[in-house]
mmCIF file of all heavy atoms in Angstrom:
data_model
loop_
_atom_site.group_PDB
_atom_site.id
_atom_site.type_symbol
_atom_site.label_atom_id
_atom_site.label_comp_id
_atom_site.label_asym_id
_atom_site.label_seq_id
_atom_site.Cartn_x
_atom_site.Cartn_y
_atom_site.Cartn_z
ATOM 1 N N SER A 1 10.491 -29.834 -24.291
ATOM 2 C CA SER A 1 10.187 -30.427 -22.981
ATOM 3 C C SER A 1 9.052 -29.713 -22.325
ATOM 4 O O SER A 1 8.224 -30.358 -21.851
ATOM 5 C CB SER A 1 11.453 -30.318 -22.087
ATOM 6 O OG SER A 1 11.208 -30.924 -20.866
ATOM 7 N N PRO A 2 9.040 -28.343 -22.030
ATOM 8 C CA PRO A 2 7.819 -27.691 -21.389
ATOM 9 C C PRO A 2 6.598 -28.047 -22.216
ATOM 10 O O PRO A 2 6.580 -28.161 -23.452
ATOM 11 C CB PRO A 2 8.243 -26.221 -21.372
ATOM 12 C CG PRO A 2 9.683 -26.237 -21.514
ATOM 13 C CD PRO A 2 10.042 -27.425 -22.461
ATOM 14 N N GLU A 3 5.506 -28.050 -21.493
ATOM 15 C CA GLU A 3 4.182 -28.228 -22.158
ATOM 16 C C GLU A 3 3.236 -27.008 -22.087
ATOM 17 O O GLU A 3 3.609 -26.113 -21.365
ATOM 18 C CB GLU A 3 3.470 -29.425 -21.491
ATOM 19 C CG GLU A 3 4.279 -30.670 -21.143
ATOM 20 C CD GLU A 3 4.921 -31.292 -22.358
ATOM 21 O OE1 GLU A 3 4.806 -30.820 -23.448
ATOM 22 O OE2 GLU A 3 5.588 -32.398 -22.128
ATOM 23 N N GLY A 4 2.215 -27.002 -22.754
ATOM 24 C CA GLY A 4 1.333 -25.920 -22.749
ATOM 25 C C GLY A 4 0.070 -25.950 -21.733
ATOM 26 O O GLY A 4 -0.976 -25.623 -21.942
ATOM 27 N N GLY A 5 0.526 -26.345 -20.527
ATOM 28 C CA GLY A 5 -0.474 -26.545 -19.455
ATOM 29 C C GLY A 5 -1.155 -25.208 -18.950
ATOM 30 O O GLY A 5 -2.174 -25.393 -18.485
ATOM 31 N N PHE A 6 -0.394 -24.179 -18.989
ATOM 32 C CA PHE A 6 -0.942 -22.844 -18.515
ATOM 33 C C PHE A 6 -2.090 -22.438 -19.455
ATOM 34 O O PHE A 6 -3.047 -21.947 -19.023
ATOM 35 C CB PHE A 6 0.152 -21.725 -18.463
ATOM 36 C CG PHE A 6 0.902 -21.749 -17.319
ATOM 37 C CD1 PHE A 6 0.927 -22.837 -16.356
ATOM 38 C CD2 PHE A 6 1.708 -20.607 -16.800
ATOM 39 C CE1 PHE A 6 1.667 -22.927 -15.143
ATOM 40 C CE2 PHE A 6 2.380 -20.587 -15.645
ATOM 41 C CZ PHE A 6 2.382 -21.675 -14.895
ATOM 42 N N ASP A 7 -1.867 -22.653 -20.838
ATOM 43 C CA ASP A 7 -3.005 -22.339 -21.717
ATOM 44 C C ASP A 7 -4.216 -23.180 -21.243
ATOM 45 O O ASP A 7 -5.301 -22.671 -21.243
ATOM 46 C CB ASP A 7 -2.574 -22.729 -23.034
ATOM 47 C CG ASP A 7 -1.877 -21.634 -23.831
ATOM 48 O OD1 ASP A 7 -1.888 -20.435 -23.314
ATOM 49 O OD2 ASP A 7 -1.297 -21.867 -24.972
ATOM 50 N N ALA A 8 -4.042 -24.423 -21.023
ATOM 51 C CA ALA A 8 -5.068 -25.316 -20.700
ATOM 52 C C ALA A 8 -5.756 -24.975 -19.483
ATOM 53 O O ALA A 8 -7.078 -24.951 -19.351
ATOM 54 C CB ALA A 8 -4.525 -26.748 -20.657
ATOM 55 N N MET A 9 -5.019 -24.641 -18.357
ATOM 56 C CA MET A 9 -5.613 -24.327 -17.067
ATOM 57 C C MET A 9 -6.543 -23.022 -17.138
ATOM 58 O O MET A 9 -7.678 -22.969 -16.708
ATOM 59 C CB MET A 9 -4.510 -24.137 -16.032
ATOM 60 C CG MET A 9 -3.808 -25.289 -15.615
ATOM 61 S SD MET A 9 -2.595 -25.030 -14.359
ATOM 62 C CE MET A 9 -3.821 -24.722 -12.951
ATOM 63 N N LEU A 10 -5.937 -22.093 -18.021
ATOM 64 C CA LEU A 10 -6.787 -20.824 -18.170
ATOM 65 C C LEU A 10 -8.001 -20.961 -18.815
ATOM 66 O O LEU A 10 -9.194 -20.627 -18.424
ATOM 67 C CB LEU A 10 -5.864 -19.774 -18.888
ATOM 68 C CG LEU A 10 -6.562 -18.432 -18.822
ATOM 69 C CD1 LEU A 10 -5.345 -17.327 -18.742
ATOM 70 C CD2 LEU A 10 -7.274 -18.096 -20.048
ATOM 71 N N GLN A 11 -8.036 -21.807 -19.992
ATOM 72 C CA GLN A 11 -9.226 -22.121 -20.768
ATOM 73 C C GLN A 11 -10.262 -22.937 -19.938
ATOM 74 O O GLN A 11 -11.437 -22.663 -20.035
ATOM 75 C CB GLN A 11 -8.923 -22.718 -22.160
ATOM 76 C CG GLN A 11 -8.087 -21.899 -23.076
ATOM 77 C CD GLN A 11 -8.998 -20.650 -23.528
ATOM 78 O OE1 GLN A 11 -10.136 -20.880 -24.020
ATOM 79 N NE2 GLN A 11 -8.390 -19.440 -23.339
ATOM 80 N N ALA A 12 -9.740 -23.852 -19.227
ATOM 81 C CA ALA A 12 -10.530 -24.696 -18.398
ATOM 82 C C ALA A 12 -11.175 -23.859 -17.335
ATOM 83 O O ALA A 12 -12.408 -24.218 -16.919
ATOM 84 C CB ALA A 12 -9.826 -25.867 -17.702
ATOM 85 N N ALA A 13 -10.641 -22.798 -16.885
ATOM 86 C CA ALA A 13 -11.232 -21.969 -15.846
ATOM 87 C C ALA A 13 -12.313 -21.003 -16.343
ATOM 88 O O ALA A 13 -13.216 -20.744 -15.845
ATOM 89 C CB ALA A 13 -10.113 -21.255 -15.064
ATOM 90 N N VAL A 14 -11.859 -20.269 -17.425
ATOM 91 C CA VAL A 14 -12.835 -19.125 -17.907
ATOM 92 C C VAL A 14 -13.951 -19.638 -18.749
ATOM 93 O O VAL A 14 -14.787 -18.947 -19.046
ATOM 94 C CB VAL A 14 -11.965 -18.091 -18.680
ATOM 95 C CG1 VAL A 14 -10.792 -17.495 -17.840
ATOM 96 C CG2 VAL A 14 -11.210 -18.723 -19.966
ATOM 97 N N CYS A 15 -13.749 -20.868 -19.389
ATOM 98 C CA CYS A 15 -14.875 -21.427 -20.195
ATOM 99 C C CYS A 15 -15.932 -22.030 -19.060
ATOM 100 O O CYS A 15 -15.871 -23.221 -18.968
ATOM 101 C CB CYS A 15 -14.355 -22.375 -21.159
ATOM 102 S SG CYS A 15 -13.177 -21.686 -22.351
ATOM 103 N N THR A 16 -16.664 -21.126 -18.427
ATOM 104 C CA THR A 16 -17.419 -21.414 -17.308
ATOM 105 C C THR A 16 -18.678 -22.237 -17.434
ATOM 106 O O THR A 16 -19.366 -22.395 -16.536
ATOM 107 C CB THR A 16 -17.650 -20.225 -16.536
ATOM 108 O OG1 THR A 16 -18.478 -19.348 -17.335
ATOM 109 C CG2 THR A 16 -16.375 -19.417 -16.063
ATOM 110 N N SER A 17 -19.076 -22.733 -18.587
ATOM 111 C CA SER A 17 -20.313 -23.294 -18.853
ATOM 112 C C SER A 17 -20.497 -24.555 -18.077
ATOM 113 O O SER A 17 -21.508 -24.897 -17.590
ATOM 114 C CB SER A 17 -20.487 -23.700 -20.291
ATOM 115 O OG SER A 17 -19.564 -24.531 -20.861
ATOM 116 N N HIS A 18 -19.332 -25.219 -17.690
ATOM 117 C CA HIS A 18 -19.484 -26.396 -16.863
ATOM 118 C C HIS A 18 -19.111 -26.283 -15.414
ATOM 119 O O HIS A 18 -19.208 -27.110 -14.550
ATOM 120 C CB HIS A 18 -18.300 -27.421 -17.448
ATOM 121 C CG HIS A 18 -16.967 -26.915 -17.628
ATOM 122 N ND1 HIS A 18 -16.619 -26.195 -18.696
ATOM 123 C CD2 HIS A 18 -15.830 -27.081 -16.741
ATOM 124 C CE1 HIS A 18 -15.370 -25.798 -18.607
ATOM 125 N NE2 HIS A 18 -14.759 -26.384 -17.447
ATOM 126 N N TRP A 19 -18.783 -24.991 -14.964
ATOM 127 C CA TRP A 19 -18.594 -24.623 -13.613
ATOM 128 C C TRP A 19 -19.943 -23.832 -13.297
ATOM 129 O O TRP A 19 -19.782 -22.651 -12.873
ATOM 130 C CB TRP A 19 -17.335 -23.654 -13.408
ATOM 131 C CG TRP A 19 -16.044 -24.345 -13.837
ATOM 132 C CD1 TRP A 19 -15.361 -23.937 -14.863
ATOM 133 C CD2 TRP A 19 -15.259 -25.253 -13.148
ATOM 134 N NE1 TRP A 19 -14.163 -24.564 -14.810
ATOM 135 C CE2 TRP A 19 -14.142 -25.447 -13.761
ATOM 136 C CE3 TRP A 19 -15.420 -26.012 -12.020
ATOM 137 C CZ2 TRP A 19 -13.075 -26.289 -13.499
ATOM 138 C CZ3 TRP A 19 -14.479 -26.871 -11.559
ATOM 139 C CH2 TRP A 19 -13.301 -27.080 -12.267
ATOM 140 N N LEU A 20 -21.001 -24.681 -13.054
ATOM 141 C CA LEU A 20 -22.218 -23.936 -12.774
ATOM 142 C C LEU A 20 -22.668 -23.930 -11.359
ATOM 143 O O LEU A 20 -23.232 -23.032 -10.837
ATOM 144 C CB LEU A 20 -23.347 -24.522 -13.691
ATOM 145 C CG LEU A 20 -23.168 -24.338 -15.190
ATOM 146 C CD1 LEU A 20 -24.272 -25.085 -15.975
ATOM 147 C CD2 LEU A 20 -23.210 -22.920 -15.499
ATOM 148 N N ARG A 21 -22.316 -24.959 -10.542
ATOM 149 C CA ARG A 21 -22.678 -25.172 -9.215
ATOM 150 C C ARG A 21 -21.918 -24.304 -8.210
ATOM 151 O O ARG A 21 -20.706 -24.148 -8.437
ATOM 152 C CB ARG A 21 -22.643 -26.564 -8.809
ATOM 153 C CG ARG A 21 -23.441 -27.500 -9.656
ATOM 154 C CD ARG A 21 -23.635 -28.846 -8.989
ATOM 155 N NE ARG A 21 -22.458 -29.566 -8.635
ATOM 156 C CZ ARG A 21 -22.434 -30.621 -7.925
ATOM 157 N NH1 ARG A 21 -23.607 -31.208 -7.421
ATOM 158 N NH2 ARG A 21 -21.420 -31.269 -7.679
ATOM 159 N N ASN A 22 -22.526 -23.835 -7.268
ATOM 160 C CA ASN A 22 -21.798 -23.283 -6.006
ATOM 161 C C ASN A 22 -21.289 -24.301 -5.122
ATOM 162 O O ASN A 22 -21.881 -24.675 -4.128
ATOM 163 C CB ASN A 22 -22.925 -22.342 -5.198
ATOM 164 C CG ASN A 22 -22.224 -21.550 -4.198
ATOM 165 O OD1 ASN A 22 -20.959 -21.617 -3.996
ATOM 166 N ND2 ASN A 22 -23.007 -20.839 -3.387
ATOM 167 N N VAL A 23 -20.065 -24.797 -5.436
ATOM 168 C CA VAL A 23 -19.464 -26.005 -4.832
ATOM 169 C C VAL A 23 -18.004 -25.836 -4.720
ATOM 170 O O VAL A 23 -17.372 -24.886 -5.105
ATOM 171 C CB VAL A 23 -19.840 -27.280 -5.633
ATOM 172 C CG1 VAL A 23 -21.319 -27.580 -5.700
ATOM 173 C CG2 VAL A 23 -19.126 -27.221 -6.992
ATOM 174 N N SER A 24 -17.304 -26.801 -4.002
ATOM 175 C CA SER A 24 -15.822 -26.738 -4.088
ATOM 176 C C SER A 24 -15.477 -27.273 -5.444
ATOM 177 O O SER A 24 -15.760 -28.225 -5.988
ATOM 178 C CB SER A 24 -15.469 -27.790 -3.019
ATOM 179 O OG SER A 24 -15.578 -27.303 -1.764
ATOM 180 N N ARG A 25 -14.560 -26.449 -6.024
ATOM 181 C CA ARG A 25 -14.075 -26.651 -7.393
ATOM 182 C C ARG A 25 -12.675 -27.022 -7.320
ATOM 183 O O ARG A 25 -11.821 -26.282 -7.023
ATOM 184 C CB ARG A 25 -14.383 -25.418 -8.316
ATOM 185 C CG ARG A 25 -15.754 -24.966 -8.442
ATOM 186 C CD ARG A 25 -15.966 -23.780 -9.038
ATOM 187 N NE ARG A 25 -17.357 -23.257 -9.310
ATOM 188 C CZ ARG A 25 -17.799 -22.190 -9.816
ATOM 189 N NH1 ARG A 25 -16.963 -21.275 -10.073
ATOM 190 N NH2 ARG A 25 -19.099 -21.985 -9.825
ATOM 191 N N LEU A 26 -12.325 -28.305 -7.785
ATOM 192 C CA LEU A 26 -10.952 -28.752 -7.871
ATOM 193 C C LEU A 26 -10.495 -28.911 -9.409
ATOM 194 O O LEU A 26 -11.322 -29.468 -10.149
ATOM 195 C CB LEU A 26 -10.897 -30.102 -7.112
ATOM 196 C CG LEU A 26 -11.454 -30.118 -5.761
ATOM 197 C CD1 LEU A 26 -11.296 -31.504 -5.045
ATOM 198 C CD2 LEU A 26 -10.736 -29.167 -4.825
ATOM 199 N N LEU A 27 -9.389 -28.481 -9.582
ATOM 200 C CA LEU A 27 -8.709 -28.675 -10.976
ATOM 201 C C LEU A 27 -7.546 -29.647 -10.623
ATOM 202 O O LEU A 27 -6.560 -29.044 -10.147
ATOM 203 C CB LEU A 27 -8.393 -27.461 -11.706
ATOM 204 C CG LEU A 27 -8.143 -27.566 -13.144
ATOM 205 C CD1 LEU A 27 -8.449 -26.379 -13.997
ATOM 206 C CD2 LEU A 27 -6.628 -27.920 -13.371
ATOM 207 N N VAL A 28 -7.456 -30.774 -11.240
ATOM 208 C CA VAL A 28 -6.298 -31.760 -10.967
ATOM 209 C C VAL A 28 -5.599 -31.612 -12.233
ATOM 210 O O VAL A 28 -5.983 -31.915 -13.280
ATOM 211 C CB VAL A 28 -6.709 -33.106 -10.736
ATOM 212 C CG1 VAL A 28 -5.569 -34.115 -10.603
ATOM 213 C CG2 VAL A 28 -7.724 -33.290 -9.492
ATOM 214 N N PHE A 29 -4.282 -31.064 -12.127
ATOM 215 C CA PHE A 29 -3.430 -30.859 -13.212
ATOM 216 C C PHE A 29 -2.338 -31.951 -13.120
ATOM 217 O O PHE A 29 -1.483 -31.937 -12.287
ATOM 218 C CB PHE A 29 -2.728 -29.524 -13.046
ATOM 219 C CG PHE A 29 -1.783 -29.140 -14.130
ATOM 220 C CD1 PHE A 29 -2.139 -28.467 -15.306
ATOM 221 C CD2 PHE A 29 -0.382 -29.570 -13.977
ATOM 222 C CE1 PHE A 29 -1.170 -28.080 -16.323
ATOM 223 C CE2 PHE A 29 0.527 -29.167 -14.928
ATOM 224 C CZ PHE A 29 0.145 -28.421 -16.187
ATOM 225 N N ALA A 30 -2.318 -33.031 -14.121
ATOM 226 C CA ALA A 30 -1.560 -34.131 -14.154
ATOM 227 C C ALA A 30 -0.499 -33.991 -15.211
ATOM 228 O O ALA A 30 -0.863 -33.895 -16.381
ATOM 229 C CB ALA A 30 -2.307 -35.410 -14.180
ATOM 230 N N SER A 31 0.742 -34.005 -14.800
ATOM 231 C CA SER A 31 1.869 -33.879 -15.895
ATOM 232 C C SER A 31 3.153 -34.459 -15.272
ATOM 233 O O SER A 31 3.345 -34.508 -14.116
ATOM 234 C CB SER A 31 1.989 -32.423 -16.179
ATOM 235 O OG SER A 31 3.108 -32.180 -17.135
ATOM 236 N N ASP A 32 4.138 -34.675 -16.283
ATOM 237 C CA ASP A 32 5.350 -35.154 -15.866
ATOM 238 C C ASP A 32 6.440 -34.286 -16.502
ATOM 239 O O ASP A 32 7.538 -34.729 -16.657
ATOM 240 C CB ASP A 32 5.671 -36.638 -16.505
ATOM 241 C CG ASP A 32 5.703 -36.735 -17.956
ATOM 242 O OD1 ASP A 32 5.257 -35.674 -18.663
ATOM 243 O OD2 ASP A 32 6.003 -37.800 -18.429
ATOM 244 N N ASP A 33 6.044 -32.945 -16.689
ATOM 245 C CA ASP A 33 7.088 -32.040 -17.144
ATOM 246 C C ASP A 33 6.786 -30.613 -16.623
ATOM 247 O O ASP A 33 5.839 -30.506 -16.030
ATOM 248 C CB ASP A 33 7.221 -32.173 -18.658
ATOM 249 C CG ASP A 33 8.494 -32.017 -19.304
ATOM 250 O OD1 ASP A 33 9.330 -31.147 -18.640
ATOM 251 O OD2 ASP A 33 8.745 -32.689 -20.190
ATOM 252 N N VAL A 34 7.529 -29.749 -17.114
ATOM 253 C CA VAL A 34 7.439 -28.266 -16.774
ATOM 254 C C VAL A 34 6.508 -27.611 -17.608
ATOM 255 O O VAL A 34 5.932 -28.293 -18.447
ATOM 256 C CB VAL A 34 8.717 -27.660 -16.641
ATOM 257 C CG1 VAL A 34 9.561 -28.033 -15.419
ATOM 258 C CG2 VAL A 34 9.573 -27.747 -17.962
ATOM 259 N N PHE A 35 6.404 -26.339 -17.454
ATOM 260 C CA PHE A 35 5.260 -25.580 -18.298
ATOM 261 C C PHE A 35 5.817 -24.356 -18.865
ATOM 262 O O PHE A 35 6.865 -23.760 -18.473
ATOM 263 C CB PHE A 35 4.285 -25.140 -17.373
ATOM 264 C CG PHE A 35 4.880 -24.524 -15.997
ATOM 265 C CD1 PHE A 35 5.303 -23.259 -15.959
ATOM 266 C CD2 PHE A 35 4.971 -25.337 -14.881
ATOM 267 C CE1 PHE A 35 5.943 -22.734 -14.791
ATOM 268 C CE2 PHE A 35 5.602 -24.935 -13.672
ATOM 269 C CZ PHE A 35 6.035 -23.604 -13.543
ATOM 270 N N HIS A 36 5.323 -24.000 -20.119
ATOM 271 C CA HIS A 36 5.577 -22.892 -20.713
ATOM 272 C C HIS A 36 4.884 -21.656 -19.985
ATOM 273 O O HIS A 36 3.732 -21.822 -19.474
ATOM 274 C CB HIS A 36 5.197 -22.657 -22.209
ATOM 275 C CG HIS A 36 6.037 -23.533 -23.118
ATOM 276 N ND1 HIS A 36 7.330 -23.074 -23.356
ATOM 277 C CD2 HIS A 36 5.868 -24.658 -23.829
ATOM 278 C CE1 HIS A 36 8.028 -23.881 -24.224
ATOM 279 N NE2 HIS A 36 7.068 -24.844 -24.532
ATOM 280 N N THR A 37 5.530 -20.473 -19.922
ATOM 281 C CA THR A 37 4.828 -19.345 -19.281
ATOM 282 C C THR A 37 4.912 -18.083 -20.296
ATOM 283 O O THR A 37 5.551 -18.046 -21.297
ATOM 284 C CB THR A 37 5.395 -19.037 -18.024
ATOM 285 O OG1 THR A 37 4.659 -17.969 -17.361
ATOM 286 C CG2 THR A 37 6.813 -18.540 -18.042
ATOM 287 N N ALA A 38 4.363 -16.926 -19.763
ATOM 288 C CA ALA A 38 4.391 -15.706 -20.608
ATOM 289 C C ALA A 38 5.789 -15.288 -21.004
ATOM 290 O O ALA A 38 6.696 -15.313 -20.415
ATOM 291 C CB ALA A 38 3.813 -14.608 -19.810
ATOM 292 N N GLY A 39 5.930 -15.021 -22.339
ATOM 293 C CA GLY A 39 7.146 -14.749 -23.016
ATOM 294 C C GLY A 39 7.678 -15.904 -23.854
ATOM 295 O O GLY A 39 8.339 -15.533 -24.855
ATOM 296 N N ASP A 40 7.361 -17.063 -23.525
ATOM 297 C CA ASP A 40 7.777 -18.269 -24.178
ATOM 298 C C ASP A 40 7.173 -18.240 -25.753
ATOM 299 O O ASP A 40 7.669 -18.867 -26.560
ATOM 300 C CB ASP A 40 7.507 -19.521 -23.627
ATOM 301 C CG ASP A 40 8.428 -19.740 -22.338
ATOM 302 O OD1 ASP A 40 9.265 -18.865 -22.146
ATOM 303 O OD2 ASP A 40 8.072 -20.797 -21.667
ATOM 304 N N GLY A 41 6.048 -17.657 -25.816
ATOM 305 C CA GLY A 41 5.348 -17.657 -27.134
ATOM 306 C C GLY A 41 6.182 -16.898 -28.262
ATOM 307 O O GLY A 41 6.031 -17.208 -29.454
ATOM 308 N N ARG A 42 7.116 -16.021 -27.875
ATOM 309 C CA ARG A 42 7.858 -15.365 -28.855
ATOM 310 C C ARG A 42 8.761 -16.315 -29.658
ATOM 311 O O ARG A 42 9.066 -15.962 -30.709
ATOM 312 C CB ARG A 42 8.795 -14.379 -28.200
ATOM 313 C CG ARG A 42 7.966 -13.231 -27.467
ATOM 314 C CD ARG A 42 8.855 -12.153 -26.955
ATOM 315 N NE ARG A 42 7.966 -11.079 -26.336
ATOM 316 C CZ ARG A 42 8.454 -9.845 -26.006
ATOM 317 N NH1 ARG A 42 9.686 -9.603 -26.072
ATOM 318 N NH2 ARG A 42 7.636 -8.946 -25.402
ATOM 319 N N LEU A 43 9.181 -17.436 -29.113
ATOM 320 C CA LEU A 43 9.851 -18.557 -29.813
ATOM 321 C C LEU A 43 9.151 -18.891 -31.183
ATOM 322 O O LEU A 43 9.664 -19.303 -32.091
ATOM 323 C CB LEU A 43 10.205 -19.644 -28.886
ATOM 324 C CG LEU A 43 11.026 -19.408 -27.681
ATOM 325 C CD1 LEU A 43 11.144 -20.611 -26.891
ATOM 326 C CD2 LEU A 43 12.615 -19.091 -28.216
ATOM 327 N N GLY A 44 7.845 -18.800 -30.920
ATOM 328 C CA GLY A 44 7.009 -19.286 -32.135
ATOM 329 C C GLY A 44 6.401 -18.038 -32.842
ATOM 330 O O GLY A 44 5.367 -18.277 -33.505
ATOM 331 N N GLY A 45 6.880 -16.836 -32.589
ATOM 332 C CA GLY A 45 6.363 -15.680 -33.213
ATOM 333 C C GLY A 45 5.050 -15.208 -32.850
ATOM 334 O O GLY A 45 4.332 -14.460 -33.351
#
């Protein structure tokens, strides 16, 4: 049920080649479920 949205948000933020302008930066996160967070990765080793 939880999705990998946190991974996606972090990569979208730090891969800054597309965040070049000194402007208002909005990130719209659209989902219909909850999110995995730190520690959940252990389930997959």
Side-chain angles (χ1 to χ4, degrees):
S1 179
E3 319 293 8
F6 276 18
D7 273 347
M9 291 183 74
L10 189 145
Q11 290 298 306
V14 299
C15 300
T16 56
S17 60
H18 49 283
W19 300 107
L20 295 178
R21 301 197 301 172
N22 183 8
V23 300
S24 290
R25 297 170 176 175
L26 307 180
L27 191 152
V28 179
F29 178 93
S31 180
D32 66 346
D33 219 321
V34 291
F35 42 83
H36 281 296
T37 187
D40 289 355
R42 296 187 177 191
L43 295 171

